[in-house]
Amino acid sequence: MTVRSESPRQTNLLSVWRKSSLSFFSLVFWFAAALVPARGESTKPLSPDQAFILSVARLGQGDIQLLWKIAPRVYLYREQFKATANNGAAVPFTLPKGETKDDPYFGPSEIFHNQVEMLIDAAHATPLESVQVTYQGCAELGICYPPIEKRIDLKKLSVSDVEVAELSNVTAPSVISASSDRAGRQSKDAPLFDGAILPVLATFFGLGLLLAFTPCIFPMVPILSGILVRSGYTSLGRSLSISLIYVLAMATAYATLGVAAAWSGQNLQIVLQAPISLAAIGVVFATLALSMFGFFKLPSLAITSRFAGTPKKTGTVAAAAVLGFGATLVVSPCITPPLAAALLYVAQSGDLSRGAAALFALGFGMGAPLLAFGLLGPGFLPRSGAWLTRINHLFGFVFLAMALWTISRILPVWLVWCAATVLLTGLGLYGLVALNMLPHCGVKKRQRIVVGLALTVWLAGTIALPGLVIRVFMPGSSLDAGHYDQTVVNTSEQFDDVLLAARSSQRLILVVFSAEWCVECKIIDRNVFNTREVQRRLQGIKVVHADMTRPTKDNSALMKRFDVIGPPTIFFLDAKTGQEIPGSRSIGAVNAETFIARVPEASPS
Amino acid sequence: MITTSRLLRFILTLAFMLGATQLLFAQEQPGFTSEQILNDPNDFVGGNPRGNLTIAVFSDYNCPYCKKAKVELDKVVAEDGQIRVVYKEWPVLSEASAVGSKVALAAKYQGKYKQAHDAMMAIPGGKITAQQMIESVRAAGLDMERLDRDLREHDKDITAILRNIYAQGNFMGFQSTPSYIIGRFRVSTALDYKTFKKAIADARKMQTENSR
């Protein structure tokens, strides 16, 4: 019997099939799955819900347990688990450690076979109505499942499907970004870290010393001085040990920044520029200032014990540690260049401790001159008496100024200048009063009043008021406006717009990452961009200021895109290709000559 | 006496009837004919465009199995010489994959789809970032400026193509990567050199049976 001898009815059906075969092919596909001859075994791939069976339970203490039963030879990726609340916020959970899978086609990854249990603890689960979990896995048979999303009703403990969004709407990033010479930069910077650990630490200590003589360290000086004054100069050893604690805290802060950056991929200092942390530090300074004026005594203050002749140790030491650490994180402006160098090293070698040690050495180097200050400072200052009270008061003003400077990043310009005017006028008036309270020393009272008034007028009239007038009432004449073509951007999209617009008309784009709180950026603005020579050189070059003042998702994306650790970072892009011009990048302080030397010759088009 | 051929015909008949029922109950799903899936002018066609057997490859740039299987399939296709390969950009595993697919489709405008696709498929692993994919395409020698322009100017078209392929994958009932249409077979796992050859041979046999 051959194939041809079918019953009439079968032939009939088949002929229908043949005639209409084109339009019904797709329907054949539908069923053809059953015909798959692959592998010679009947391994039809499991559907995702057969491969991973999810159940939910509430445990004794109210913890939520999600249990996946995983089919044989199928596995889930540990790092692909996600849990979110209805409002999109991440819900914390714990997973066991997985097995490590490593093969050339996969790269190393942690996976789960058989089953895996996710725990959401009661504290996180109780306030929520439902949780959405996402998970993803593959089968050793040779397939990968798309991410699967389920909604867990935490009241009924039921699981329901969530339709996974189609990915077609994703926006492709610019493909002409500046990543191509990344490798080149790394190999250039890396030798700094090579070799034995001691030379590396010594190098960073030396770099720190150099940085100490830049404005980077300025904000740290009055803070230490204030602590020393507050402690009352009881002895040289004490003054030195307070300084040492302060400097060690600074160094620890630098190391912490490095470790945090290596772990999170973010420059912690930029994150800390949030209004809340700035306000907190501002409040600390203001509180210190008020205590310096003697309005109240902080519990930890040593002022009382000074008169008793028994210095109180712990309070001041703790204050030195806290202020050294906190002020470095939030106030001190110059972390970018060393952080960039240390992170490159950590990224390349994966050696976190070495990078952290180097940053610690750097911070210690920066603080070393402060030790000298702690050693010598007390010798120049009186030990007791009315003068000391005055100096306490003066440092009160210094702390007020620090508080103002810190919160100036989040206040409107006019308010800052009003406050500065009030502060300086207050300082002048204080001088007036103080002079009049001095014991008789051959100067007539009228002369003292004249000198005091002159001081007031000088401070308020020549410093604060002109600033107030220029900044607030004549905004058009802002001192910052350069005479070149510049645009400020905050997001990657804005950046692309500028890039597209510049492409047709310009050959070079100068990208400047800066921020209001970045002191080095201000110095670069003044010493580089506001010089005639540089402005002449910038003719025909589009300048893009990427503003990093407030930490947002958008501007950190922009930093990632160009591999920028923090402000100030300056480099040139070729407008035609959108690529960074190798060798044009400066991280940290730069002067006009160096900058001009780095302006590339207009690229051949 | 039951022969393979007879069994096949019986199953095809059954499929036809099942399909007809499906049509009645599944109206909301967009329908596709084999013509629409296998001869979509938007897809890149490789191998021998005039070959006698068509293989459609649904793959994702973050699917390690797809990458492994691609090496095997390329070998089979080169040796065979009569296979027409239709490339379906089917990013379902990650957002980065979708960026990769858009880059590949944009590369088509400068005639370099194959270079871009091959470069991205050659990065081993399943956690490839969009940036890594873009770097590999740059290294493959594409005109990146042109690519960027095409990505932006043709984004609507490219997105529409991806949506259409996504719908095709759904229509085929594909639930995982990689998935293939080999002749008239639907294959939902990665194959290797031997199993590809076997599937191809079976598919050819079926084609001749049907055209007889």
Side-chain angles (χ1 to χ4, degrees), chain A residues 167 170-171, chain B residues 62 91 93-100 130:
Chain A
L167 295 164
V170 67
T171 312
Chain B
N62 256 325
L93 297 184
S94 70
E95 266 190 33
S97 311
V99 172

Side-chain angles (χ1 to χ4, degrees), chain A residues 26 36 79 105 108 142 144 170 179, chain B residues 32 102 125 127 135 177 186 190:
Chain A
S26 50
V36 171
E79 64 176 28
Y105 273 96
C144 286
V170 67
S179 46
Chain B
F32 291 93
K102 286 199 162 183
K127 290 176 281 189
E135 285 309 312
T177 59
R186 197 189 74 156

Side-chain angles (χ1 to χ4, degrees), chain B residues 171-190:
Chain B
F171 175 77
M172 293 298 299
F174 291 150
Q175 292 188 315
S176 53
T177 59
S179 290
Y180 306 90
I181 301 170
I182 300 180
R184 284 169 210 173
F185 291 126
R186 197 189 74 156
V187 179
S188 296
T189 63

Side-chain angles (χ1 to χ4, degrees), chain A residues 18 25-26 30 32-33 36-37 47 75 79 104-105 108 139 142-144 146-147 166 168 170 174-175 179 576 579, chain B residues 5 9 32 34 65 92 98 102 124-125 127 135 138 145 148 152 163 166 171 175-177 184 186 188-190 202:
Chain A
R18 278 181 192 146
F25 260 13
S26 50
W30 248 95
V36 171
S47 78
Y75 55 88
E79 64 176 28
Y105 273 96
I143 62 179
C144 286
E166 213 177 310
S168 331
V170 67
S174 169
V175 300
S179 46
K576 287 269 179 291
Q579 297 206 33
Chain B
S5 165
R9 281 171 199 221
F32 291 93
S34 62
Y65 291 113
V92 291
K102 286 199 162 183
K127 290 176 281 189
E135 285 309 312
R138 187 201 307 282
E145 196 193 337
D148 196 57
R152 264 149 246 296
R163 294 182 75 95
Y166 187 78
F171 175 77
Q175 292 188 315
S176 53
T177 59
R184 284 169 210 173
R186 197 189 74 156
S188 296
T189 63
D202 286 353

Side-chain angles (χ1 to χ4, degrees), chain A residues 359-524:
Chain A
L359 277 173
F360 186 89
L362 181 102
F364 199 70
M366 280 178 73
L370 292 179
L371 286 181
F373 187 82
L375 192 67
L376 301 174
F380 295 115
L381 289 167
R383 282 181 186 271
S384 63
W387 269 107
L388 191 56
T389 320
R390 298 278 168 254
I391 286 170
N392 265 328
H393 291 170
L394 278 181
F395 272 103
F397 280 104
V398 170
F399 277 133
L400 279 182
M402 295 295 298
L404 181 60
W405 186 64
T406 309
I407 59 168
S408 70
R409 298 166 199 172
I410 49 175
L411 291 181
V413 175
W414 65 268
L415 192 58
V416 174
W417 279 96
C418 283
T421 309
V422 169
L423 183 65
L424 286 173
T425 311
L427 181 59
L429 289 175
Y430 173 82
L432 180 68
V433 174
L435 281 170
N436 282 296
M437 284 163 62
L438 280 181
H440 183 72
C441 54
V443 186
K444 286 194 180 120
K445 190 165 184 174
R446 199 187 301 157
Q447 282 170 322
R448 292 184 194 166
I449 294 179
V450 171
V451 171
L453 276 178
L455 186 68
T456 312
V457 170
W458 179 68
L459 284 171
T462 60
I463 301 176
L465 275 177
L468 183 66
V469 169
I470 289 173
R471 292 298 194 122
V472 180
F473 298 109
M474 300 159 65
S477 64
S478 166
L479 295 169
D480 289 346
H483 304 282
Y484 46 84
D485 180 10
Q486 61 173 343
T487 312
V488 177
V489 301
N490 287 302
T491 68
S492 228
E493 287 74 44
Q494 289 172 357
F495 190 90
D496 284 333
D497 290 344
V498 175
L499 204 61
L500 281 175
R503 203 180 280 172
S504 53
S505 56
Q506 267 126 343
R507 286 198 206 162
L508 281 175
I509 298 170
L510 172 66
V511 185
V512 182
F513 279 79
S514 62
E516 276 300 314
W517 46 266
C518 162
V519 171
E520 277 179 313
C521 303
K522 302 277 177 217
I523 295 167
I524 291 174

Side-chain angles (χ1 to χ4, degrees), chain B residues 54-110:
Chain B
T54 296
I55 298 183
V57 183
F58 288 71
S59 65
D60 180 296
Y61 294 115
N62 256 325
C63 159
Y65 291 113
C66 304
K67 298 174 183 179
K68 209 168 173 173
K70 178 185 189 296
V71 180
E72 309 272 310
L73 179 61
D74 283 354
K75 213 159 95 189
V76 175
V77 167
E79 281 174 17
D80 188 287
Q82 283 298 317
I83 297 173
R84 184 176 166 267
V85 184
V86 177
Y87 291 86
K88 298 283 185 187
E89 292 293 336
W90 195 47
V92 291
L93 297 184
S94 70
E95 266 190 33
S97 311
V99 172
S101 288
K102 286 199 162 183
V103 166
L105 290 173
K108 222 164 158 252
Y109 292 93
Q110 52 179 290

Side-chain angles (χ1 to χ4, degrees), chain B residues 24-171:
Chain B
L24 289 175
F25 290 103
Q27 284 299 330
E28 76 277 6
Q29 268 203 344
F32 291 93
T33 62
S34 62
E35 176 68 14
Q36 283 169 331
I37 294 181
L38 300 179
N39 281 317
D40 188 335
N42 291 317
D43 295 333
F44 179 81
V45 177
N48 176 359
R50 285 195 254 167
N52 57 20
L53 179 77
T54 296
I55 298 183
V57 183
F58 288 71
S59 65
D60 180 296
Y61 294 115
N62 256 325
C63 159
Y65 291 113
C66 304
K67 298 174 183 179
K68 209 168 173 173
K70 178 185 189 296
V71 180
E72 309 272 310
L73 179 61
D74 283 354
K75 213 159 95 189
V76 175
V77 167
E79 281 174 17
D80 188 287
Q82 283 298 317
I83 297 173
R84 184 176 166 267
V85 184
V86 177
Y87 291 86
K88 298 283 185 187
E89 292 293 336
W90 195 47
V92 291
L93 297 184
S94 70
E95 266 190 33
S97 311
V99 172
S101 288
K102 286 199 162 183
V103 166
L105 290 173
K108 222 164 158 252
Y109 292 93
Q110 52 179 290
K112 296 225 164 135
Y113 173 88
K114 192 77 170 55
Q115 286 88 332
H117 177 81
D118 286 354
M120 290 187 275
M121 289 299 279
I123 317 172
K127 290 176 281 189
I128 315 302
T129 64
Q131 207 56 47
Q132 280 171 287
M133 294 181 197
I134 290 166
E135 285 309 312
S136 76
V137 169
R138 187 201 307 282
L142 271 80
D143 177 346
M144 297 308 272
E145 196 193 337
R146 170 88 203 268
L147 184 65
D148 196 57
R149 207 167 55 231
D150 289 333
L151 265 174
R152 264 149 246 296
E153 281 171 13
H154 301 291
D155 186 57
K156 263 201 186 129
D157 303 337
I158 292 172
T159 305
I161 294 171
L162 285 181
R163 294 182 75 95
N164 193 47
I165 297 173
Y166 187 78
Q168 293 176 2
N170 275 348
F171 175 77

